Amino acid sequence: MEVNATRYDAHLKEYQRFAHIKSMEEYQEKHRRSIEDPEGFWAEQARTYVSWYNEWDFVLRYDFTAAQIEWFGGGRLNASYNCLDRHLPRLKNRVAYYWEGDDPSQSRTVTYLELFTQVNRFAAALRSKGVKKGDRVIIYMPMILELPVAMLACARLGAVHSVVFGGFSADSVANRVRDCGAKVIITVDGGYRGGRELPLKSIVDEALAQCPEVETVIVFNRCGSKAELDPRREIWWHEAIADPQLPSYVEPEPMDSEDPLFILYTSGSTGKPKGVVHTHGGYLVYAAMTTRLVFDLREEETFWCTADIGWITGHTYSVYGPLTDGYTCLLFEGVPNYPDFDRYWELVAKYRIDKFYTAPTVIRALAREGTSYVEKHDISSLKLLGTVGEPINPEAWRWYYHYVGRDWCPIVDTWWQTETGGHMLTPLPGVAPIKPGSCSFPFFGVDPVILDPDTRQEAVFPNQEGVLFMRRPWPAMARTLYGDHERFRETYFNEARGLYFTGDGARKDEDGYYWITGRVDDVINVSGHRLGTAELESAMVLHKDVAEAAVVGVPHPVKGQGIYAFVILKTGADKTDRLRKELMDLVRKQIGPIAAPDAIQWADALPKTRSGKIMRRLLQKIAAGFVDELGDVTTLADPSIVASLIAERAGIDFKVGRT
Amino acid sequence: MKTLIKREEWTDKDGLTFTLGRAFIQDRPQIEEMYDGPHGDASFQGLPPPGPEARCAWITHLVEGAVTICAWLQGKVVGHASLFVDPEKRDAEFLLFVAQPFRNRGIGTRLTLMALDCARELSLERVWLTVEMYNFRAASVFEKCGFVLSDRSGGERTMILEV
């Protein structure tokens, strides 16, 4: 068990002078109120953070058994209005986004007025193509300004966007198009990443071949391609908005608080990725509030969240949160190591970034390269650092704190998920000392409970590890899985009656600080991205030579977890490196490059019980090399296979490459 | 084995009437239909095996090699409990699956109790199972039926019932 490390509080005195939340007492009082009087508390926040066409009939109605949650029911609002229109009187000239290209010679700046103009223009173009309230629109774009423009244009019309991360394969795109019944795709000719051109349109073409029901494809010309578009359903973005008939203003569609705002697909422990649905009112209030309070943001500051907008982190903390609040953000198209490993620090200096939010996997990858890259640049503008995606190991935390934070910046280690919409357990910089590896305390409205898996009762002792649940709803929680509410109910509300299952393990220490111990189900966390082991196994088993596959997570020094696959081949198939490569390519094609296994071990058999259940914990230990502590193997139908699995251990290549 | 050749009817609190009883080779297609359906893909600890041949063989084994009790609703299989007997050890591994829309109705408990009746009839000494650590719902069903937590290590727990 980890020692509950030293506390770091160098930042505290100054933060407690001017932070939005200035003390532990203030935090505790507000947190208590948010739990004891959620209606009063959240009504106040809803009025503070969001503009409504009309207010709600009720603040909160919910039933965890039925998985029904409603916040601000009857209230009406528009997300695009909140991010844009309402800022024009006071903030029209404020920078909404600085954009920095993958290529260091490219950058742009867009003010709230300019963003408003572009969003309206594109919304008009979408509307002329028949897009209307309730329609689902797939967006498959790299980190360019047109990505938030497309999202906000959809929101303006009341259409439901589903952004697909540019790193996913054609099959993944096609699956999502079909699952949500999207008839429109917004994409690009190509993208730039680390100096290379990514053929995103050809991935879309491959997906489209499986999606005849798609009626419109709008393509933004990022790479200057001269490609021929299919005139039956494809059109260039610049041509679509050039139509002189289009109005320059589109009235934002008033949406009910519980109308869907977006769908974001995420991996679960079984089956294919599911579409997590977020709605309007609660999500926007929570996004705006956490953005302001967790990062302690101010209007004169520049915020940089490095996550791709294709993930929930980018949705909430690069788009909806900061724009609703009227803040200024940096959007970066590129990667941390191009042209070199100091690119991030160069940008921090260039834009004088005040608050910086990234993933532990990035910190570990950059820490590996040495400190000279950080030391080359003046990063003294940084006042606060953040991490997201997975728990951060103390070594990486300390490197970040010392070299980037200059032994002063508080690090907000935020725990939350695609399903939670916004931060759940997190430090607040003005409240208390921080501990490396701990996500500190619950945000307002968040009521966690840790259940001991042996007794299924609440953990009573400090540091008692268990499964993390939530006792009550918070405004930004997901409302359903698209088209499968029963699965939503079953996955999140069926483990413990009356509680929301997070899928993560946790412990609370003697000071009340929370520590996340990792997923308890069959979901692995690779570079902060979730992948279901079942999803990976299903992909491999598609290969004609594969009889069975079992995938487990394995500790990885940069990615956090790597992907280790045990594969049983059919009789007659040869265990070659070529076949390994074929399997990697297959997984890349089915899911995307992030899913490529780090190690493939040929196995003659898997450790199974008589019924055929795979003893995953044994595989995890074998993969990680913990072969002396395998524990009880008497449940195995054939305990002798364990020895041969250990002998054949593939080992893992820790070379840090591109994903 | 005499038990459960005759199927029994059981009605849940919502008034849905299920038929429960031993499944044999002729019931195989219906079990397959359940696993092929939209709620059958919930893979639990690697089951049903992904890959068409392994899956096919596994389902066949449920009715031919193991002792399986199914629950039918209007002629369709909605769940099963199976005992994988080791005659030398005089024990059996227990496995339970109920399709998603039919959970929380008491079918799992019913099937488990019937499986334990079979275990008694077979003069088994012990029935055991493994369940994912976080599957609290299943663990509470098993506990209600008399299973006791045995091995606490890692992601899967073992529970045992001395017959």
Side-chain angles (χ1 to χ4, degrees):
Chain A
M1 194 188 312
E2 306 166 37
V3 172
N4 297 325
T6 335
R7 296 144 208 257
Y8 290 74
D9 62 3
H11 62 284
L12 209 48
K13 191 148 153 241
E14 199 164 326
Y15 264 91
Q16 290 187 331
R17 283 169 53 206
F18 57 71
H20 298 311
I21 308 285
K22 291 182 174 56
S23 66
M24 176 58 98
E25 293 69 41
E26 191 183 347
Y27 160 73
Q28 283 173 333
E29 190 268 319
K30 282 192 156 70
H31 186 267
R32 184 180 31 247
R33 200 156 64 85
S34 74
I35 301 299
E36 289 171 4
D37 175 26
E39 315 231 328
F41 181 85
W42 287 110
E44 200 182 298
Q45 309 316 314
R47 288 183 189 112
T48 304
Y49 286 98
V50 165
S51 298
W52 302 78
Y53 293 125
N54 60 263
E55 277 196 3
W56 44 91
D57 301 319
F58 60 86
V59 172
L60 172 62
R61 265 191 207 149
Y62 75 102
D63 176 357
F64 269 4
T65 320
Q68 298 294 347
I69 304 118
E70 292 176 90
W71 283 93
F72 312 113
R76 294 195 315 157
L77 72 168
N78 182 283
S80 190
Y81 176 86
N82 270 283
C83 290
L84 302 167
D85 307 48
R86 71 178 191 149
H87 294 314
L88 294 182
R90 205 170 59 84
L91 304 179
K92 62 177 180 288
N93 297 317
R94 166 162 307 158
V95 172
Y97 289 119
Y98 291 110
W99 175 82
E100 175 84 8
D102 182 66
D103 178 339
S105 71
Q106 294 185 358
S107 60
R108 286 170 65 188
T109 299
V110 70
T111 61
Y112 274 89
L113 177 55
E114 286 162 344
L115 189 59
F116 169 84
T117 307
Q118 290 187 37
V119 168
N120 272 282
R121 194 94 199 148
F122 191 62
L126 281 180
R127 192 172 57 179
S128 74
K129 293 286 168 214
V131 176
K132 58 193 185 312
K133 175 174 169 174
D135 286 353
R136 278 79 61 209
V137 175
I138 292 278
I139 302 177
Y140 185 61
M141 296 174 89
M143 287 285 276
I144 55 177
L145 286 170
E146 284 69 22
L147 171 47
V149 168
M151 291 162 76
L152 292 167
C154 288
R156 198 165 189 84
L157 299 172
V160 183
H161 61 73
S162 186
V163 180
V164 181
F165 172 55
F168 279 121
S169 66
D171 283 352
S172 291
V173 175
N175 285 333
R176 286 151 173 76
V177 169
R178 286 194 300 257
D179 188 84
C180 70
K183 299 220 176 5
V184 178
I185 299 182
I186 306 170
T187 185
V188 285
D189 55 346
Y192 293 110
R193 194 166 189 271
R196 297 189 310 184
E197 203 174 304
L198 306 171
L200 295 175
K201 177 67 171 39
S202 41
I203 293 175
V204 171
D205 289 339
E206 211 187 308
L208 282 171
Q210 306 174 41
C211 304
E213 63 287 349
V214 169
E215 294 167 0
T216 308
V217 182
I218 302 180
V219 186
F220 180 77
N221 196 311
R222 167 76 187 108
C223 297
S225 153
K226 304 272 186 286
E228 288 285 320
L229 298 184
D230 175 358
R232 286 172 301 169
R233 55 181 181 176
E234 298 181 343
I235 183 169
W236 289 109
W237 175 300
H238 58 272
E239 285 174 11
I241 61 171
D243 178 354
Q245 304 282 342
L246 292 179
S248 58
Y249 175 74
V250 169
E251 186 78 31
E253 183 74 36
M255 302 297 284
D256 185 277
S257 185
E258 284 302 333
D259 282 334
L261 174 60
F262 64 86
I263 302 167
L264 201 45
Y265 284 85
T266 195
S267 292
S269 60
T270 66
K272 289 188 152 41
K274 292 287 178 251
V276 173
V277 177
H278 282 289
T279 56
H280 277 75
Y283 173 79
L284 284 175
V285 171
Y286 201 79
M289 188 180 183
T290 49
T291 300
R292 177 169 176 264
L293 298 185
V294 175
F295 303 114
D296 199 64
L297 275 175
R298 279 115 214 305
E299 293 193 334
E300 62 275 11
E301 292 176 337
T302 305
F303 178 67
W304 183 18
C305 166
T306 67
D308 193 287
I309 291 177
W311 306 104
I312 188 68
T313 309
H315 275 54
T316 308
Y317 299 109
S318 280
V319 182
Y320 289 111
L323 293 180
T324 300
D325 286 334
Y327 295 137
T328 300
C329 285
L330 171 63
L331 285 186
F332 177 45
E333 185 185 37
V335 292
N337 60 347
Y338 177 81
D340 206 346
F341 291 97
D342 64 332
R343 189 71 190 278
Y344 272 13
W345 317 126
E346 187 219 317
L347 294 182
V348 166
K350 177 175 176 183
Y351 293 99
R352 309 224 34 91
I353 301 293
D354 299 272
K355 280 135 188 200
F356 177 75
Y357 188 43
T358 194
T361 199
V362 167
I363 298 165
R364 286 189 296 259
L366 293 180
R368 266 192 164 199
E369 303 301 324
T371 57
S372 60
Y373 293 102
V374 191
E375 287 160 352
K376 270 168 82 172
H377 301 280
D378 175 8
I379 55 169
S380 59
S381 58
L382 290 174
K383 300 192 192 63
L384 178 143
L385 304 174
T387 67
V388 55
E390 50 174 311
I392 182 167
N393 50 309
E395 300 71 42
W397 193 102
R398 280 187 257 268
W399 186 92
Y400 194 31
Y401 185 76
H402 180 70
Y403 291 105
V404 185
R406 290 110 53 228
D407 289 325
W408 185 87
C409 293
I411 298 176
V412 296
D413 178 348
T414 60
W415 175 80
W416 59 296
Q417 304 168 326
T418 306
E419 294 92 332
T420 71
H423 302 138
M424 296 293 281
L425 303 178
T426 175
L428 291 174
V431 165
I434 45 182
K435 297 190 185 183
S438 165
C439 49
S440 293
F441 311 117
F443 190 74
F444 307 112
V446 175
D447 191 4
V449 59
I450 297 172
L451 297 190
D452 180 334
D454 296 342
T455 60
R456 300 191 303 281
Q457 303 300 314
E458 196 172 336
V460 285
F461 304 109
N463 296 307
Q464 193 180 348
E465 276 187 45
V467 183
L468 181 63
F469 288 82
M470 296 292 150
R471 281 194 235 263
R472 64 186 66 228
W474 59 98
M477 71 187 293
R479 301 303 197 258
T480 192
L481 295 178
Y482 191 81
D484 201 347
H485 192 72
E486 188 48 43
R487 174 148 296 182
F488 178 68
R489 200 192 57 77
E490 173 74 21
T491 306
Y492 303 101
F493 298 93
N494 207 36
E495 295 302 337
R497 194 179 287 283
L499 299 178
Y500 172 88
F501 173 66
T502 67
D504 275 315
R507 61 182 171 89
K508 194 161 104 170
D509 72 19
E510 55 280 355
D511 300 317
Y513 285 71
Y514 283 81
W515 300 74
I516 301 296
T517 54
R519 294 296 294 196
V520 297
D521 59 8
D522 293 331
V523 169
I524 51 186
N525 191 327
V526 179
S527 298
H529 305 313
R530 265 155 76 166
L531 287 167
T533 56
E535 203 185 331
L536 293 159
E537 288 155 2
S538 300
M540 291 201 197
V541 145
L542 291 173
H543 193 291
K544 62 173 175 36
D545 289 342
V546 173
E548 278 187 77
V551 172
V552 292
V554 70
H556 189 287
V558 175
K559 298 200 244 180
Q561 277 191 302
I563 301 170
Y564 195 108
F566 294 86
V567 177
I568 303 181
L569 297 177
K570 291 182 182 162
T571 328
D574 290 324
K575 302 169 176 178
T576 61
D577 280 341
R578 194 180 56 90
L579 183 51
R580 272 201 179 90
K581 185 175 178 316
E582 276 177 29
L583 287 178
M584 302 247 211
D585 289 340
L586 178 56
V587 177
R588 277 195 194 98
K589 177 183 184 303
Q590 286 294 305
I591 303 169
I594 345 170
D598 295 279
I600 296 178
Q601 174 173 339
W602 305 124
D604 294 318
L606 295 174
K608 292 184 182 178
T609 64
R610 216 176 298 136
S611 71
K613 286 187 179 177
I614 296 177
M615 291 287 97
R616 220 169 265 287
R617 70 165 192 271
L618 287 175
L619 291 174
Q620 282 165 353
K621 289 185 176 165
I622 293 169
F626 300 146
V627 296
D628 296 324
E629 357 156 328
L630 290 175
D632 180 17
V633 298
T634 57
T635 53
L636 295 184
D638 178 9
S640 68
I641 68 154
V642 174
S644 52
L645 283 173
I646 294 172
E648 304 276 310
R649 205 177 143 258
I652 205 171
D653 179 6
F654 290 135
K655 195 160 31 123
V656 179
R658 241 177 268 281
T659 46
Chain B
M1 196 175 73
K2 297 189 214 64
T3 309
L4 308 164
I5 304 282
K6 181 166 181 283
R7 292 178 180 175
E8 66 172 59
E9 300 219 317
W10 176 80
T11 305
D12 77 3
K13 58 179 168 26
D14 290 334
L16 282 180
T17 302
F18 298 86
T19 309
L20 290 92
R22 277 286 303 275
F24 299 96
I25 189 69
Q26 59 268 30
D27 304 302
R28 192 198 168 290
Q30 292 173 319
I31 297 176
E32 192 159 49
E33 205 186 308
M34 174 183 71
Y35 279 117
D36 282 344
H39 305 289
D41 77 336
S43 91
F44 50 105
Q45 296 168 264
L47 294 178
E53 289 118 5
R55 188 181 163 93
C56 191
W58 183 75
I59 296 177
T60 305
H61 183 64
L62 286 179
V63 289
E64 290 199 321
V67 172
T68 290
I69 299 142
C70 282
W72 286 263
L73 177 67
Q74 289 156 17
K76 291 198 183 299
V77 170
V78 298
H80 70 94
S82 300
L83 288 167
F84 298 81
V85 181
D86 184 331
E88 279 175 24
K89 288 190 188 167
R90 310 282 300 279
D91 74 8
E93 182 190 352
F94 176 73
L95 179 155
L96 176 70
F97 176 77
V98 177
Q100 197 183 297
F102 303 100
R103 294 178 192 168
N104 302 326
R105 294 172 179 276
I107 298 175
T109 307
R110 197 79 212 104
L111 286 170
T112 305
L113 293 172
M114 290 170 81
L116 294 176
D117 284 340
C118 289
R120 268 175 220 108
E121 182 148 336
L122 289 168
S123 304
L124 297 178
E125 286 175 5
R126 180 179 307 110
V127 177
W128 60 275
L129 61 92
T130 65
V131 63
E132 287 135 327
M133 175 260 266
Y134 63 90
N135 195 344
F136 287 17
R137 191 143 282 269
S140 64
V141 168
F142 300 141
E143 234 174 54
K144 214 168 30 168
C145 295
F147 284 90
V148 170
L149 188 61
S150 133
D151 174 23
R152 284 171 167 67
S153 62
E156 297 115 357
R157 284 44 195 127
T158 307
M159 296 178 85
I160 297 184
L161 188 148
E162 305 286 342
V163 178

